[in-house]
Amino acid sequence: GRCLLPGPAQSRQPSQTLLPLIGPHHQRIGRRQVPWFAMEGSTTEEPAAAAKIAQFQRLVQHYLDRTVIWMRVRWGTLAVVLILYVLRVYLKQGFYVVTYGLGIYMLNLLINFLTPAVDPDAEDGPGLPTKEMEFRPFTRKLPEFKFWLSSFRAVCCASVMTLFEVFDLPVFWPILLAYFILLLVLTMKDRIKHMLKHKYIPFSFGKQTYGELTKMKAGGAAGGKGGKDDK
């Protein structure tokens, strides 16, 4: 009739009914039990490949970040690559569909480059920079660096496509050229109307910079000293 309670030594030992559950399906690492499916499904090849891909992406991004300040060099390189592409298309006398797709894509990038990031028609949107206002940088929907990078990638992809004859589709190219010119005129007309309506300038030409202010102050200080010496 007496109930024997297990002591401290007996309570630490696992029960006999739980011992069959701890079999080959579980492996102990320290005090934690790892299920069998977590051990058998893991391989070392996939994490190594993913790490190499991530390392390569970081390396490419590192060199891209270093080219941000070289704006003229970047756009000059893009112009050279684009000229080489046009020359190849002219010599091959084909790949007009690829060229048309490249033109439409770059036109879309140009429109996003000229479009403000915030819609000025919204009531709570910030004011856009104008000639009468104080200096305020123009925030674009597509930044300059991304515009260059996307254009450079598109020209390189189009150049690679010219190496395969399967992309040389037969087409009457004057129709594509006329349609592209029509799209260019209509979209640029719409952008110009939008600029005139909201009176903003999508470029920073003619705006006063800190370098010009420094030159003006330096010139004024030199003129003041010269006037005192003359007296």
Side-chain angles (χ1 to χ4, degrees), residues 141-206:
K141 187 177 181 179
L142 181 66
E144 178 267 334
F145 183 77
K146 291 185 177 181
F147 179 30
W148 169 81
L149 184 60
S150 300
S151 301
F152 189 80
R153 288 175 178 174
V155 176
C156 291
C157 291
S159 301
V160 173
M161 292 175 69
T162 56
L163 300 176
F164 303 95
E165 296 294 334
V166 68
F167 297 107
D168 189 8
L169 302 177
V171 66
F172 188 60
W173 65 267
I175 296 180
L176 296 180
L177 180 61
Y179 189 65
F180 176 75
I181 293 176
L182 179 63
L183 286 178
L184 178 63
V185 171
L186 292 178
T187 52
M188 293 306 298
K189 182 180 179 181
D190 183 51
R191 281 294 95 197
I192 292 175
K193 286 184 178 180
H194 193 268
M195 296 175 192
L196 295 177
K197 176 182 177 181
H198 299 282
K199 299 180 181 180
Y200 67 92
I201 305 172
F203 301 101
S204 59
F205 298 120

Side-chain angles (χ1 to χ4, degrees), residues 8-186:
Q10 296 178 357
S11 61
R12 295 178 183 177
Q13 297 179 357
S15 177
Q16 296 295 331
T17 58
L18 298 178
L19 286 177
L21 299 178
I22 307 176
H25 301 290
H26 291 76
Q27 297 181 5
R28 293 190 178 184
I29 300 178
R31 296 182 178 178
R32 185 178 59 183
Q33 295 179 357
V34 181
W36 60 274
F37 55 84
M39 298 295 296
E40 296 180 358
S42 60
T43 57
T44 58
E45 296 180 357
E46 294 181 358
K52 290 182 179 180
I53 294 175
Q55 183 180 2
F56 177 74
Q57 291 178 351
R58 288 193 298 267
L59 182 63
V60 172
Q61 188 64 36
H62 170 70
Y63 285 106
L64 285 176
D65 293 339
R66 295 181 62 179
T67 61
V68 174
I69 58 176
W70 305 97
M71 185 175 63
R72 294 182 180 179
V73 177
R74 288 189 285 104
W75 286 100
T77 306
L78 177 61
V80 172
V81 174
L82 188 59
I83 291 173
L84 292 177
Y85 171 78
V86 173
L87 182 62
R88 177 171 176 78
V89 171
Y90 175 76
L91 295 177
K92 296 288 291 184
Q93 293 295 319
F95 301 99
Y96 300 118
V97 177
V98 177
T99 307
Y100 174 76
L102 176 62
I104 293 297
Y105 179 74
M106 295 188 68
L107 178 61
N108 187 25
L109 293 177
L110 178 61
I111 295 302
N112 291 331
F113 177 73
L114 299 177
T115 303
V118 181
D119 188 9
D121 294 329
E123 297 180 357
D124 55 348
L128 294 172
T130 59
K131 293 182 179 180
E132 293 79 8
M133 296 175 58
E134 61 180 4
F135 175 74
R136 182 181 299 174
F138 180 77
T139 305
R140 307 178 185 278
K141 187 177 181 179
L142 181 66
E144 178 267 334
F145 183 77
K146 291 185 177 181
F147 179 30
W148 169 81
L149 184 60
S150 300
S151 301
F152 189 80
R153 288 175 178 174
V155 176
C156 291
C157 291
S159 301
V160 173
M161 292 175 69
T162 56
L163 300 176
F164 303 95
E165 296 294 334
V166 68
F167 297 107
D168 189 8
L169 302 177
V171 66
F172 188 60
W173 65 267
I175 296 180
L176 296 180
L177 180 61
Y179 189 65
F180 176 75
I181 293 176
L182 179 63
L183 286 178
L184 178 63
V185 171
L186 292 178

